[in-house]
Amino acid sequence: MSADIDFDHHSDEANADPVAYYARFRESCPVGRTTAHGGFTYTTRYADVARIARDDATFSSARSDHGGQGVGIVIPKGPGLDQYPIELDPPRSTEYRQLINPLLTPEAIERLVPMIERHAARVVDDFVELGSCDFVRDLTNPLPAAVTLDWLGFPEEDWAKLAGPIHDIFAAPAESERAVRGAAGLAYMDRRIRELIAERRLAPQADAVSALVAGRRGDGGEFGEDELVSVIGLLIAGGVDTTTSLTGSTLVHLARHPDQRQKLIDSPDLLDSATEEFLRAFAPSQSMARTVTQDAEVGGCPMHRGDRVLIPWVAANHDPAVFPDPEQVRLDRDASRHLSFGIGSHRCAGAHLARAMFRAMMTQVLTRLPDYRVIEEGLVAYPTRGNQSGWDAVPAVFTPGPRAGAAAGSVRALTTPTPLRVTAVRAAAQDVVAVDLALPDGGDLPAWRPGAHIELRLPSGRLVPRSPSPRHTRIATARGAGWRWTRRTPPAVHCASRCGRSSA
């Protein structure tokens, strides 16, 4: 293959429209060599990207001197702390994945959902009465930071200090004052991680850092401090800004496509499948890189030991051979094969946490800010979308609404649709199911009064009860921080009521 193909995933043309840029090369030269950034091989097809990502023996993620010094999983390389396990190859990476994985299973993330929803409601409360916000500054950055750092065990006063530098690195032009400030912030993050590790060794708590500190290797040995710093640093970086990017891009898209936004408002359960489509269309991590360890050939292009190879998830996600009409966002598309979380041994361990944070933020926006309008002229994109895509500013206006939170011991009336959490579901009698409801932030709901009733919008989008009928019995009684809602219901609705998240 020619070594002088004019390809650069950080170029102005690529930044303007990465999907179209990769499509052009996919049609003309799907695998090729470029001299940009010291020279590397690029790929554009789903099959080639997946093959390279799965072949750790031939295409290494580990740091090396090939292509310069620094983080080895991006092109060009840049400064940054070692990131275990993503910058290691099996079998060295395996013990770190075994340390992390139990903390991020679907069951583990389900236990975090109340905390995630509490933070989401609190963050939106801070601006919902104003009628305007910057979604990045006010929602998509602080929420993932609060959830990730709260889960890990960092105190609240650390959240902004640790999250800010991560966002600065992604959102600032290389070598700019802001980028330098972000890099300097990594030194503070390193120090705080070490301090927290030391604290948790002495006094473990119910948080992720305590679990990591208590983890053991296969032979029973402890993980060293430097190893834990690397693992925790990667969890912070992965948890904080990637979900910020995905949510910001989705909010901009839905502002430009109000028909799709309305579909999600009318049918909240559609968000589950739509989440995968948004991930496919708006992959936060646009590309990664590998280093060739032995001679190989991909797509007819020979590669030699030491060559650098670009594997763009964004190109794979828009390959028409896998996703027909890939430029279209279809809420009901089966996009489960997308590569936004990677594939192979380095597939993102935090995928379930990212989905949970995304859904919590989108639910808050769709239920509490349904008429939001993005101020297009105020949008600020990342300076390059070659490695990471996202928005640095997404200003918006909307109809002001009430705060969802309530001070401890206070009670507020619910006069607008309000997100509630199902805390218990029980069979009260034959064809009768009792459901306990509570505010996400734990505040008290108002006591029942004669004539009062509630309507629940189920995850299917169905509103029950719509009108009084002999088959509907409504009972609302004060139960601490929640309500009990009892409905005589046929089995189909009984099952829907168990789905867990409703609005009253």
Side-chain angles (χ1 to χ4, degrees):
M1 304 296 287
S2 171
D4 58 0
I5 294 175
D6 186 18
F7 175 95
D8 184 357
H9 55 308
H10 294 289
S11 66
D12 291 342
E13 182 184 356
N15 287 329
D17 191 342
V19 173
Y21 189 76
Y22 281 108
R24 177 164 68 85
F25 284 95
R26 187 186 301 111
E27 294 169 1
S28 61
C29 185
V31 184
R33 289 280 303 171
T34 176
T35 57
H37 308 295
F40 62 93
T41 301
Y42 69 84
T43 59
T44 62
R45 296 181 295 207
Y46 186 103
D48 295 333
V49 170
R51 175 201 160 180
I52 292 170
R54 285 189 173 116
D55 187 353
D56 298 299
T58 306
F59 303 97
S60 172
S61 300
R63 292 195 181 197
S64 70
D65 292 335
H66 300 291
Q69 297 294 316
V71 177
I73 53 174
V74 293
I75 294 176
K77 291 184 175 182
L81 304 175
D82 287 335
Q83 301 176 72
Y84 291 175
I86 198 171
E87 287 191 280
L88 297 173
D89 299 317
R92 284 197 65 204
S93 61
T94 303
E95 61 184 359
Y96 299 103
R97 287 301 297 246
Q98 292 173 341
L99 175 67
I100 295 170
N101 287 348
L103 300 174
L104 294 164
T105 63
E107 295 77 17
I109 299 307
E110 184 61 29
R111 292 192 292 271
L112 295 178
V113 167
M115 179 266 281
I116 295 171
E117 293 181 344
R118 183 177 69 252
H119 279 306
R122 173 187 60 78
V123 168
V124 173
D125 273 357
D126 287 343
F127 63 84
V128 69
E129 296 174 317
L130 303 177
S132 65
C133 70
D134 178 336
F135 276 130
V136 176
R137 180 194 65 205
D138 299 325
L139 174 64
T140 68
N141 191 263
L143 185 280
V147 168
T148 302
L149 295 168
D150 193 359
W151 165 66
L152 285 168
F154 288 90
E156 185 173 354
E157 57 266 25
D158 274 333
W159 296 351
K161 295 177 183 178
L162 294 176
I166 301 295
H167 185 65
D168 285 341
I169 289 172
F170 285 131
E175 301 181 359
S176 66
E177 180 182 349
R178 184 179 176 190
V180 172
R181 185 172 69 246
L186 295 180
Y188 174 81
M189 183 171 75
D190 181 278
R191 184 172 74 253
R192 282 297 296 129
I193 293 174
R194 292 180 189 277
E195 291 172 352
L196 191 62
I197 289 171
E199 292 170 10
R200 295 302 186 262
R201 287 197 192 279
L202 292 175
Q205 297 186 19
D207 55 41
V209 168
S210 295
L212 294 170
V213 167
R216 293 293 181 268
R217 304 179 186 277
D219 62 5
E222 291 186 349
F223 289 91
E225 181 181 283
D226 288 344
E227 295 172 295
L228 291 173
V229 169
S230 182
V231 168
I232 295 167
L234 177 61
L235 291 173
I236 294 172
V240 168
D241 210 73
T242 52
T243 313
T244 295
S245 300
L246 171 65
T247 312
S249 296
T250 300
L251 291 172
V252 171
H253 171 80
L254 293 178
R256 293 170 176 172
H257 298 82
D259 57 324
Q260 292 192 349
R261 173 172 32 177
Q262 192 60 49
K263 285 183 180 180
L264 292 171
I265 292 172
D266 293 340
S267 301
D269 58 322
L270 185 58
L271 184 59
D272 286 338
S273 61
T275 295
E276 302 309 307
E277 175 69 344
F278 292 140
L279 279 161
R280 180 197 71 83
F282 310 124
S285 177
Q286 295 273 281
S287 69
M288 298 188 81
R290 299 289 187 266
T291 302
V292 180
T293 62
Q294 56 190 338
D295 290 356
E297 181 178 297
V298 175
C301 182
M303 302 180 189
H304 305 287
R305 184 177 182 276
D307 285 353
R308 301 278 286 146
V309 185
L310 185 75
I311 49 173
W313 313 122
V314 60
N317 286 349
H318 289 83
D319 187 342
V322 180
F323 304 102
D325 301 317
E327 71 285 351
Q328 297 180 14
V329 176
R330 298 177 178 173
L331 301 183
D332 58 353
R333 184 199 298 266
D334 179 4
S336 57
R337 293 183 64 192
H338 70 77
L339 300 186
S340 296
F341 290 124
I343 193 171
S345 67
H346 288 304
R347 189 177 189 278
C348 178
H352 301 299
L353 178 58
R355 289 187 179 100
M357 291 191 292
F358 173 76
R359 289 169 183 161
M361 286 189 282
M362 292 304 303
T363 298
Q364 286 288 321
V365 171
L366 294 172
T367 57
R368 302 180 65 188
L369 319 170
D371 65 348
Y372 78 88
R373 178 171 62 86
V374 167
I375 309 301
E376 290 278 343
E377 56 269 30
L379 287 170
V380 178
Y382 284 5
T384 172
R385 301 166 72 182
N387 296 332
Q388 194 82 5
S389 181
W391 297 97
D392 193 24
V394 181
V397 293
F398 50 87
T399 301
R403 294 168 59 87
S410 65
V411 176
R412 63 183 180 84
L414 302 182
T415 57
T416 60
T418 302
L420 298 177
R421 178 160 181 76
V422 175
T423 58
V425 179
R426 300 174 304 285
Q430 183 177 359
D431 294 332
V432 176
V433 61
V435 181
D436 288 353
L437 306 173
L439 287 167
D441 65 355
D444 288 338
L445 290 166
W448 174 83
R449 295 180 180 178
H453 70 280
I454 60 174
E455 294 180 327
L456 299 183
R457 186 177 295 278
L458 301 177
S460 64
R462 182 175 180 181
L463 189 67
V464 292
R466 290 185 179 274
S467 60
S469 84
R471 295 187 59 81
H472 295 84
T473 303
R474 296 184 290 274
I475 305 173
T477 60
R479 289 177 55 83
W483 277 338
R484 172 181 289 182
W485 179 78
T486 307
R487 181 177 188 271
R488 189 175 299 277
T489 176
V493 178
H494 173 90
C495 294
S497 299
R498 291 182 177 271
C499 294
R501 295 178 184 83
S502 304
S503 295

